[in-house]
Amino acid sequence: PRQAVFEGDHSRVDSKLDRDVIGFWDNPNERVHWLIRIPAAGQYAVRGEFSAGMGSSEIALKHGSETLQAAIPRTADWDGTRFVDLGHLRFNRPGVYHLILQAADFKNWRPVNVYRLQFAHK
């Protein structure tokens, strides 16, 4: 979360259970940006750790022209997290890439906390 750049005025890094978390993301027009270093070309499985204490929501992760979309299930509260598989992204060469996390369904958006994104080379 501390490596993210926020597009908007409300989302920010917070602390929950002695962990950094992207919180206060209650505006679906706000987006979260990251730069990620990819060490080797290929396909990467992507998953995230989230909480959604006010109800399920949908997010989209964008990389270039590719978009992964996933439902974030409601969690018991804001401290309970769930891992969600987002899918696979292909990177054609090693390098630094720009990622954008945003609301996928603006009309039915409910706040989401983001604890981390993980990438695994397949």
Side-chain angles (χ1 to χ4, degrees):
R2 294 230 178 257
Q3 296 173 345
V5 174
F6 300 97
E7 183 180 340
D9 297 323
H10 201 71
S11 302
R12 62 184 180 271
V13 175
D14 192 18
S15 181
K16 290 205 171 286
L17 305 173
D18 294 327
R19 294 178 63 193
D20 287 339
V21 58
I22 295 170
F24 305 98
W25 189 6
D26 54 7
N27 181 343
N29 294 308
E30 294 191 5
R31 303 187 315 169
V32 183
H33 299 259
W34 283 278
L35 292 178
I36 183 173
R37 189 181 75 75
I38 296 297
Q43 189 167 331
Y44 286 75
V46 184
R47 76 177 189 164
E49 185 180 7
F50 305 94
S51 64
M54 294 181 69
S56 62
S57 202
E58 289 188 35
I59 55 117
L61 180 66
K62 293 185 170 210
H63 150 61
S65 62
E66 289 187 72
T67 300
L68 301 178
Q69 198 166 316
I72 307 302
R74 180 182 191 138
T75 52
D77 54 33
W78 290 110
D79 294 335
T81 67
R82 301 259 318 255
F83 279 98
V84 175
D85 290 324
L86 301 178
H88 298 87
L89 288 176
R90 174 163 289 288
F91 297 91
N92 293 327
R93 62 186 180 280
V96 176
Y97 291 89
H98 177 213
L99 301 174
I100 301 170
L101 190 65
Q102 65 184 43
D105 181 355
F106 286 70
K107 192 175 186 181
N108 297 308
W109 176 255
R110 296 208 179 40
V112 171
N113 281 352
V114 182
Y115 284 80
R116 63 182 152 173
L117 294 179
Q118 296 177 323
F119 290 72
H121 191 248
K122 294 193 85 172

